[in-house]
Amino acid sequence: MKIAIAGAGAMGSRFGYMLKKSGNTVIFIDEWKEHVDQINSKGLLVETENNQEYCKIPAYLPEQANGSFDLVILFTKAMQLNAMLKKMNHLLTSETAILCLANGLGNIETIEKYSGDCPLYVGVTLWSSELIGTGHIKITGSGTIEFQPVNQADEVKTSLISDMLNQAGLNSELSPDVILSIWKKASFNSVLNTYCAILNCNVGQFGSSSKAISLARQVIQEFVLVANKKGILLTEDLVLNIVKKVFDPKESGDHYPSMHQDLAKGRKTEIDYLNGAVAKLGAELKIATPTNQLLTNLIHAMEDIQGID
């Protein structure tokens, strides 16, 4: 397939690398000019547990990209998604499938403002990656993808996308309830991203704490209350089992989540689309979410102290 990855950060770069290695034609679209320039100059430097290699993938600023694509994969951060879609809207035709694997709640509504007749898929992924610097990522562990069409259920196109992802080793499967999956991932991220950022640790280090499960439960239980009020059948065990699984270094135990990476590099976090989103919805539904509100305030305080706008 001919694929554009919009948002060539840690995760977008890992997916672009794996998709390119499996024989697809891939380009990166990203707003970070220095990152784009470095990738175009030397290639994407991919570091694994055992080696390093450069992978040549063309990279463009969104307004400079052109051509037609079978698939656009959105990995742009939630707060940047609207601006990215506005700048790259010229690339979207009725034949262009869109797959959003970005974190957070509310992405579907943003995408639908621009997607028109495009086949739209949304999903979640448990793959992990770390952006070390311009044109340089470190990848560890394994992961999965689950996704689902949200408008046109073209079975042939859906099957082609799923097969292509699996040929790249991305462990894709169709989700029977993608909205539940998105809430499950948002809850999962609101545990690991936020606590690892505040405690300055990786996933495995957080998991080794005697307080980890208790802290995780406090976040998850509030997500469950809000989700259930909206008719989404989220349960505590559904999320907690995944959280426990990734504590293993063979999964994502050695990984520093994206919120930790963002604060370490002085970048704005996605807290308002994770813990902050459920706290906002809880207030609208008159459901108390004190843990998620506190964690949101703490992350914003950390951003303020660092002078991150």
Side-chain angles (χ1 to χ4, degrees):
M1 283 190 176
K2 190 175 181 184
I3 303 166
I5 308 283
M11 288 297 296
S13 291
R14 176 167 195 167
F15 270 60
Y17 166 72
M18 294 178 73
L19 291 165
K20 170 77 172 181
K21 294 283 281 186
S22 66
N24 296 285
T25 300
V26 179
I27 71 161
F28 288 136
I29 301 173
D30 201 87
E31 294 267 30
W32 187 11
K33 186 178 185 302
E34 292 79 8
H35 186 52
V36 167
D37 290 345
Q38 181 74 3
I39 292 172
N40 286 329
S41 174
K42 294 188 174 181
L44 175 69
L45 175 57
V46 181
E47 180 182 347
T48 68
E49 295 95 330
N50 304 313
N51 70 327
Q52 294 183 346
E53 70 169 297
Y54 283 94
C55 184
K56 297 293 288 184
I57 299 176
Y60 301 89
L61 297 171
E63 57 270 23
Q64 295 175 344
N66 55 63
S68 58
F69 299 90
D70 302 306
L71 177 66
V72 171
I73 304 179
L74 298 173
F75 268 116
T76 308
K77 288 188 177 295
M79 62 277 197
Q80 299 164 347
L81 184 58
N82 188 78
M84 172 63 81
L85 286 165
K86 187 174 183 179
K87 290 180 180 180
M88 58 172 283
N89 195 238
H90 61 286
L91 302 177
L92 303 179
T93 73
S94 60
E95 299 301 313
T96 309
I98 300 172
L99 170 60
C100 179
L101 295 173
N103 289 331
L105 302 175
N107 290 328
I108 296 174
E109 293 80 359
T110 300
I111 297 166
E112 286 179 336
K113 292 191 295 183
Y114 298 94
S115 58
D117 295 330
C118 295
L120 175 58
Y121 301 84
V122 294
V124 295
T125 178
L126 292 179
W127 287 93
S128 60
S129 180
E130 183 177 355
L131 183 63
I132 303 299
T134 54
H136 182 186
I137 61 168
K138 181 177 181 179
I139 59 178
T140 57
S142 185
T144 59
I145 303 169
E146 49 179 305
F147 74 103
Q148 184 181 29
V150 296
N151 56 5
Q152 304 175 43
D154 184 325
E155 292 185 7
V156 174
K157 188 179 292 289
T158 301
S159 180
L160 285 171
I161 293 171
S162 184
D163 289 347
M164 178 273 300
L165 293 170
N166 284 322
Q167 286 165 11
L170 286 163
N171 302 329
S172 165
E173 63 179 24
L174 290 179
S175 171
D177 186 347
V178 76
I179 301 302
L180 173 60
S181 298
I182 288 170
W183 273 77
K184 180 172 63 175
K185 177 67 182 300
S187 180
F188 166 89
N189 276 330
S190 294
V191 172
L192 295 179
N193 266 274
T194 311
Y195 282 129
C196 288
I198 291 170
L199 297 172
N200 190 24
C201 64
N202 64 29
V203 171
Q205 288 169 332
F206 174 64
S208 70
S209 166
S210 62
K211 304 297 183 184
I213 300 304
S214 174
L215 289 169
R217 280 199 170 103
Q218 292 177 59
V219 171
I220 296 166
Q221 286 167 358
E222 293 177 4
F223 262 83
V224 169
L225 288 173
V226 175
N228 291 172
K229 185 71 172 180
K230 292 176 65 66
I232 299 163
L233 302 179
L234 189 69
T235 67
E236 182 179 328
D237 286 346
L238 196 60
V239 182
L240 196 57
N241 288 340
I242 305 172
V243 170
K244 291 177 182 176
K245 181 180 178 183
V246 298
F247 289 158
D248 186 340
K250 293 179 182 177
E251 294 288 336
S252 297
D254 292 333
H255 174 60
Y256 287 88
S258 59
M259 194 175 293
H260 183 286
Q261 297 178 45
D262 287 338
L263 286 171
K265 292 178 170 62
R267 298 190 296 253
K268 190 171 180 62
T269 73
E270 293 182 294
I271 190 68
D272 288 333
Y273 298 87
L274 296 170
N275 308 76
V278 83
K280 182 179 179 181
L281 285 169
E284 293 172 359
L285 296 169
K286 296 182 169 51
I287 296 172
T289 57
T291 299
N292 282 284
Q293 187 61 66
L294 174 61
L295 293 173
T296 301
N297 292 343
L298 286 171
I299 293 294
H300 280 313
M302 294 173 75
E303 291 174 334
D304 291 345
I305 289 167
Q306 292 188 44
I308 302 171
D309 296 326

